[in-house]
Amino acid sequence: MMDRKLKEKCIRSAFLFTASTSILVLALIMVFLFMEGMPIFQDYPPLKFLFGHEWYPTADPPDFGIFPLLVGSMLVTAASSAIAIPLGVMTAIYLAEIARPRVRGYVKPVVELLAALPSVVIGFFGMVLFAPFLQDVFDIPTGLNMFNAAVMLAFMSVPTICSISEDAIFSVPKELKEASLALGATHWETIRKVILPASLSGISTAVILGMSRAIGETMVVLMVAGGAAMVPSSLFSPVRPMPASIAAEMAEAPFRGDHYYALFATGIVLFLFTMIFNIVADTIANKHKQVGAATL
Amino acid sequence: MRIKNLLLAAFMVVAFSASAWAAQIGVSGSTTVLPIMQKAVEAYMKAHPETTLSVSGGGSGNGIKAIIDGTTDLCMASRFMKDKEVALAMEKGVYPVPFAIAIDALVPVVHPENPVGDLTIEQLRDVYTGKIANWKDLGGEDKQIVVISRDTSSGTYETWEEKIMNKERVFAGALLQASNGAVAQAVSKNKFAIGYVGYGYLNAALKPVKVNGIEGNPETASSGKYPVARFLYVFTKGWPEGELASFVMYLLNPKYGQVHAKDAGYVPLY
C-alpha cells in the first residue's frame, strides 16, 4: 500500500519537475536578458534609444537609436502578413472544406513540409534567385529589400497559419454546417457565414502565431532584407529588422560594452513584441472559444 | 538495470581518462582567419594524431571574450584588442599574447560588367558616405550606386573604416551584409553594386577595383604600398606552452602555416 502511494508521489513530482523545467528556463533567460540589456539605459536615455534615428553602435560617440530597426521589423512583418494571411487562410478553407479527402491527404503534409524548410535555405533562395529577379523585373537598384524579405517570410508563416487554421476550420462541429445547408444556404454562404465565424478564434491564433514567427525570424531577414539601418521610403527600400541587427553584430560587440548592452536591449524590445503577440493570441483564443458542439 | 548503469559509469570513466590523455585545443574567433585555421588544423591533426583541435567561428570579439574567460585556448582575431578588452583582461588577471600570422588585403569590388576599375581613397569615401550616389560621377553609367558594406561591428569594417572612412560614417542607406561571402554574393548579383572583400574572397564573378591606382595583391600588400591592408592575429592566454606552443609555431612556420595562409587567399608574413 505504502509502496504504491510512494510510487504515485514520485511520478507526480517527476512530472511537476518536467513541467516546471521549461518555465524555469524561460524565467532564467528573461532574467538574463534584462540583466544584460538594462545597463544601457544608465547612460543612454530610453526614449532616445527607442526613437533615435541613428544606429551607429561603433562610432565614437556611439548612437543607439533603434527606431529604423523597429520600423523595419514592423513593416516587414506587416508586409509579409499581407501576403501570408490571405494565402494561408484561403488554403486552409480549401483544404478543410472544398478539397476531397484524398487531395487533402496529399496537400496538407506538403504545406506542412514547407515549415520544415530551414530558414537559411529560404534565405539563400531569396538572395541568389529572387533578388536578381526583382532587380530585373522592377528595375530597382537592389533586390535585397523589404519586399523580398516579406515574400520569404510569408513562405515561412504560411504553413503555420494554414495548418492551425485548417485544424480550426476542420473542427467546426458538423451539425452547424449541416444545419446551415439544411436551411438552404449554399456551400459558399455556409463557409462565409457559419464556418468562418465559428472558427474565428482558431484562425486569429493562427494568424498571430504566424506573425510572431515572422517578426522573430532572423536568418532570412539577415540574408535578404538588405541591412540598411534607415526608415524605408518604399516597399523596395532595404531595411534592417531587429533580429538581423542582433545576429549580425553580437559576435563582434565587445563583451559587456555599451554596444553589447544595446543589442540585448533590442532583444528585450523584440521579446516584448512577441510576448504581446502571444498574449493577444491567447486572449482571442479564450474569448471566442467554441464551447462544445451546438447540438440540442 | 543496475548492470546497465554500472557499464555506463565504467564507460564514462574510460572516456574521460582517454580524453585526459589526448591534448585538446579549442580555437575560436574571427571568421576572416577561419579559412587559414581550418586548413592548418586539418594538416596539423594529420601530422599529430594525439592532438585534437576544435575550431569555431563567432567573430573576433567573441574569440577575445573566450580567451579572457578561459573558454578557449587560441583566439583568432582580424583586429587588435580594444582598450576595453585589454582592461577587462587585466581586471581578470589574464595576459593575452598576440601573434601576427598573415596580412589581409581588402579589395573594393564591382560587377564584372562595370567599366569603373580604379578609384581613389577619397572617391571611395564619398561613395560610402553617400556624397557620390551615381556611377556617372565615377566614369560609369548613369545609374544609382548600390553601396554594400559590412556590419559596423565586424573586423573587416573596422579596417575599412580605419583605412578609407577617416572617421566619417557610412551613410544609412548602405546595405550591410554579415560576411565576406555575403558581400561577394550580393555584388556578383548586382550590376550597379560596389562592395569590399578580403583578397581571399575574390573570384571570377567579381571585378577588383584599384585603390589610388594600386592593385590589391600579395606583392603590393606585403610591400606596404597597397593602402587597405591589415594584420591577422591569434591570441593565447599567457605565453603558449606544450601542444599549444607547438601549434602556434606551426602557424608561423613558412613551410606549413604560412602556406595555408597563402592557400586561403591571404598574404603570408614569412
Side-chain angles (χ1 to χ4, degrees):
Chain A
M1 206 54 181
M2 265 321 273
D3 191 39
R4 271 178 65 188
K5 264 192 184 158
L6 194 72
K7 210 171 161 189
E8 194 74 3
K9 223 176 174 181
C10 282
I11 290 172
R12 255 170 65 170
S13 42
F15 272 89
L16 179 70
F17 176 75
T18 13
S20 36
T21 309
S22 58
I23 296 178
L24 197 73
V25 169
L26 179 69
L28 283 177
I29 290 177
M30 257 176 71
V31 168
F32 178 76
L33 187 65
F34 278 88
M35 251 170 50
E36 301 290 299
M38 291 320 270
I40 183 71
F41 299 122
Q42 277 173 2
D43 30 53
Y44 206 82
L47 282 182
K48 204 174 158 198
F49 178 75
L50 279 177
F51 297 106
H53 278 252
E54 305 264 294
W55 176 256
Y56 285 100
T58 54
D60 200 26
D63 275 318
F64 300 116
I66 63 163
F67 190 67
L69 316 184
L70 201 67
V71 172
S73 266
M74 292 200 288
L75 289 178
V76 163
T77 309
S80 84
S81 308
I83 304 169
I85 293 172
L87 210 63
V89 174
M90 272 142 79
T91 313
I93 293 173
Y94 171 74
L95 287 180
E97 279 299 312
I98 299 165
R100 277 175 300 154
R102 251 180 73 110
V103 177
R104 180 173 181 266
Y106 284 115
V107 175
K108 202 180 177 196
V110 172
V111 172
E112 276 164 4
L113 202 64
L114 198 60
L117 270 185
S119 53
V120 67
V121 173
I122 295 185
F124 194 70
F125 172 77
M127 195 174 187
V128 175
L129 292 173
F130 197 53
F133 171 77
L134 283 179
Q135 267 158 234
D136 292 343
V137 171
F138 293 102
D139 193 28
I140 43 176
T142 173
L144 298 173
N145 56 31
M146 198 164 88
F147 181 68
N148 190 337
V151 173
M152 295 304 130
L153 287 179
F155 279 163
M156 307 195 60
S157 37
V158 160
T160 311
I161 297 179
C162 174
S163 156
I164 300 177
S165 321
E166 203 264 353
D167 289 341
I169 296 170
F170 198 71
S171 63
V172 169
K174 236 184 181 166
E175 292 83 359
L176 287 183
K177 193 178 162 188
E178 281 165 355
S180 166
L181 291 172
L183 286 172
T186 62
H187 195 182
W188 168 237
E189 283 167 343
T190 308
I191 289 175
R192 202 161 57 100
K193 299 204 171 145
V194 175
I195 290 176
L196 276 186
S199 54
L200 193 67
S201 83
I203 294 178
S204 318
T205 314
V207 164
I208 291 169
L209 287 181
M211 281 171 80
S212 68
R213 166 141 208 218
I215 199 170
E217 170 54 38
T218 307
M219 202 60 208
V220 165
V221 290
L222 183 63
M223 290 172 84
V224 304
M230 59 173 186
V231 176
S233 53
S234 83
L235 193 56
F236 296 113
S237 299
V239 289
R240 187 177 185 79
M242 293 185 282
S245 194
I246 298 174
E249 294 168 31
M250 191 49 95
E252 295 281 345
F255 183 54
R256 300 234 157 112
D258 278 351
H259 185 194
Y260 173 92
Y261 291 135
L263 289 177
F264 268 98
T266 314
I268 294 178
V269 175
L270 195 59
F271 173 72
L272 292 179
F273 262 92
T274 34
M275 197 170 76
I276 292 170
F277 273 16
N278 278 308
I279 290 174
V280 170
D282 213 44
T283 320
I284 293 179
N286 276 327
K287 211 172 175 179
H288 301 276
K289 212 180 212 162
Q290 180 82 31
V291 191
T295 41
L296 286 171
Chain B
M1 206 53 178
R2 197 173 282 164
I3 292 171
K4 231 181 199 174
N5 281 344
L6 263 177
L7 274 178
L8 194 70
F11 173 76
M12 278 164 86
V13 168
V14 171
F16 275 120
S17 51
S19 63
W21 278 101
Q24 280 265 9
I25 300 177
V27 186
S28 70
S30 167
T31 47
T32 313
V33 189
L34 202 58
I36 305 179
M37 199 54 76
Q38 278 166 339
K39 285 176 198 286
V41 159
E42 213 169 280
Y44 188 83
M45 291 211 293
K46 211 174 263 173
H48 303 77
E50 74 283 2
T51 310
T52 318
L53 291 116
S54 54
V55 188
S56 58
S60 307
N62 271 344
I64 291 171
K65 201 191 298 175
I67 269 288
I68 294 172
D69 293 342
T71 53
T72 193
D73 302 299
L74 189 66
C75 143
M76 311 174 273
S78 56
R79 58 169 171 85
F80 209 74
M81 285 179 80
K82 293 178 179 172
D83 291 347
K84 276 183 194 167
E85 289 163 343
V86 173
L88 190 68
M90 294 298 118
E91 200 182 286
K92 294 205 174 178
V94 176
Y95 295 87
V97 180
F99 298 87
I101 58 163
I103 301 173
D104 178 24
L106 290 186
V107 184
V109 288
V110 293
H111 195 270
E113 286 176 29
N114 196 317
V116 176
D118 188 356
L119 295 170
T120 65
I121 287 187
E122 289 72 28
Q123 281 173 322
L124 283 169
R125 187 185 308 143
D126 286 347
V127 166
Y128 274 83
T129 54
K131 274 182 209 148
I132 296 179
N134 197 306
W135 280 110
K136 71 175 182 213
D137 297 329
L138 299 172
E141 284 180 63
D142 183 6
K143 284 279 184 183
Q144 191 194 330
I145 303 178
V146 175
V147 179
I148 299 177
S149 186
R150 287 291 307 279
D151 281 300
T152 52
S153 44
S154 68
T156 311
Y157 172 76
E158 275 178 4
T159 308
W160 186 255
E161 187 186 33
E162 180 190 319
K163 307 285 179 191
I164 302 285
M165 297 310 290
N166 191 25
K167 310 245 174 216
E168 285 189 64
R169 289 173 168 192
V170 170
F171 77 117
L175 273 62
L176 304 188
Q177 295 292 330
S179 66
N180 270 307
V183 173
Q185 181 64 248
V187 173
S188 65
K189 297 280 175 198
N190 193 323
K191 279 184 203 166
F192 306 106
I194 185 168
Y196 52 87
V197 293
Y199 180 75
Y201 287 84
L202 285 181
N203 61 42
L206 298 170
K207 176 182 172 186
V209 175
K210 292 179 187 170
V211 179
N212 288 347
I214 300 160
E215 194 184 309
N217 59 34
E219 288 72 41
T220 55
S222 51
S223 69
K225 262 194 215 159
Y226 185 67
V228 205
R230 61 175 170 171
F231 284 98
L232 301 177
Y233 304 91
V234 292
F235 285 88
T236 55
K237 183 176 176 176
W239 190 257
E241 282 170 358
E243 276 298 318
L244 184 58
S246 148
F247 181 64
V248 171
M249 291 309 132
Y250 180 89
L251 286 175
L252 296 174
N253 193 316
K255 273 194 243 157
Y256 305 112
Q258 295 295 302
V259 175
H260 300 313
K262 198 176 174 214
D263 289 345
Y266 297 108
V267 181
L269 288 176
Y270 307 106

